[in-house]
Amino acid sequence: VCSSDLGTPDLRLFIDFDDNLRQSMRRETELLCETVFREDRPVTELISADYTFLDERLARHYGVPHVFGSHFRRVSFADQPVRQRGGLLRQSSILTVTSYATRTSPVIRGKWILDNILGTPAPPAPGGVPALEQAEKDFKDHSPTLRELLAVHREKPLCFSCHNRMDPIGLAFENFNALGGWRDTEARQAIDASGELASGERFGDVRALKQLITGPRRADFYRCIVEKMMTYALGRGMVWGRYR
């Protein structure tokens, strides 16, 4: 996608975001990772966890009641009315850095999952790819959703090979806005979060995608996280072959 200005900016995002929320987002991610590693939990719990760590500011952002003060505490969603949270993929820190400032980006989110969770990165984008905005011209009777625009975008031969892998994964997160807040509609239409992996497995929403990653595709996740940790430990990328 060549531009971050698609559609009308949601000014409510700017009103809701401040440094306290940014710091809380980061701390939530740090505490989940720390818990999984220090307590020797299954590494898949980074994805499948049905709990997280919240202070009052982040709990208000998520719509989780009865969390007060600046102290972070573990909150289970097993018995909570809010069931959209849990695991790295549904944390605002990840959802925010994989969005533009004023809107979501299924392309960036999908690419992030391929690169950092499944370890199957998409090929580099070819030159001369048309901007996503051009797809808006095909819609005369209503404001299109990002799903509709990306469907038109993928019809172009230059775009299909990469976007056919990234878009369906990224669209699973469309219920989360650019700051990771929950929403049910986009462009006055109910959000469709279903999709299909390049390997053929279908999912109905982000929870089903999470189950695919920690179930049938867990070997990809294991390999990817080992490569990431080895890269961190060695201070260089993983390269196949023998060093002399």
Side-chain angles (χ1 to χ4, degrees):
V1 178
C2 303
S3 172
S4 61
D5 298 325
L6 185 69
T8 303
D10 187 350
L11 298 180
R12 292 170 299 178
L13 297 175
F14 294 100
I15 296 172
D16 192 46
F17 187 75
D18 57 26
D19 190 61
N20 288 333
L21 180 58
R22 182 176 66 86
Q23 295 291 344
S24 295
M25 289 176 179
R26 176 174 178 171
R27 188 58 181 151
E28 177 192 23
T29 301
E30 291 172 343
L31 287 170
L32 175 63
C33 293
E34 182 178 323
T35 296
V36 170
F37 292 130
R38 290 187 180 276
E39 296 181 6
D40 197 24
R41 306 290 300 170
V43 72
T44 50
E45 201 163 295
L46 290 171
I47 307 297
S48 64
D50 63 355
Y51 62 89
T52 194
F53 297 86
L54 302 175
D55 64 353
E56 182 176 354
R57 181 69 181 88
L58 191 55
R60 186 167 70 250
H61 181 62
Y62 286 172
V64 177
H66 312 308
V67 177
F68 304 103
S70 59
H71 173 70
F72 274 81
R73 75 293 316 264
R74 178 168 170 160
V75 176
S76 172
F77 296 115
D79 55 356
Q80 285 273 0
V82 180
R83 299 295 299 275
Q84 303 99 345
R85 303 294 168 178
L88 289 175
L89 304 188
R90 297 184 286 182
Q91 290 187 350
S92 275
S93 60
I94 304 299
L95 295 164
T96 299
V97 299
T98 54
S99 295
Y100 291 120
T102 58
R103 70 162 176 87
T104 62
S105 175
V107 178
I108 298 176
R109 287 175 173 177
K111 185 178 185 302
W112 192 90
I113 298 293
L114 291 175
D115 290 349
N116 299 289
I117 301 298
L118 296 175
T120 55
V129 175
L132 184 58
E133 288 88 341
Q134 294 184 16
E136 286 188 286
K137 300 175 183 177
D138 293 350
F139 297 89
K140 307 296 184 182
D141 57 341
H142 69 281
S143 297
T145 64
L146 276 173
R147 174 179 285 274
E148 292 174 320
L149 289 173
L150 287 168
V152 174
H153 199 63
R154 286 195 301 276
E155 292 176 358
K156 299 175 173 60
L158 276 175
C159 308
F160 179 81
S161 60
C162 296
H163 282 269
N164 198 46
R165 297 177 61 189
M166 297 183 294
D167 296 358
I169 296 175
L171 287 166
F173 299 90
E174 276 296 275
N175 281 115
F176 300 98
N177 66 23
L179 290 180
W182 183 261
R183 61 182 185 172
D184 293 306
T185 62
E186 185 213 350
R188 300 182 180 180
Q189 298 184 50
I191 289 174
D192 177 6
S194 63
E196 181 179 353
L197 298 180
S199 49
E201 296 98 329
R202 295 179 179 272
F203 53 86
D205 55 21
V206 67
R207 286 178 291 183
L209 174 61
K210 179 182 71 172
Q211 292 168 355
L212 281 176
I213 293 172
T214 57
R217 310 310 304 179
R218 64 181 179 275
D220 294 331
F221 175 61
Y222 291 155
R223 183 182 65 253
C224 184
I225 197 167
V226 168
E227 289 180 356
K228 298 294 183 184
M229 294 183 70
M230 287 289 289
T231 297
Y232 176 79
L234 296 172
R236 60 170 174 81
M238 298 295 294
V239 179
W240 292 105
R242 182 177 178 180
Y243 284 89
R244 296 177 182 268

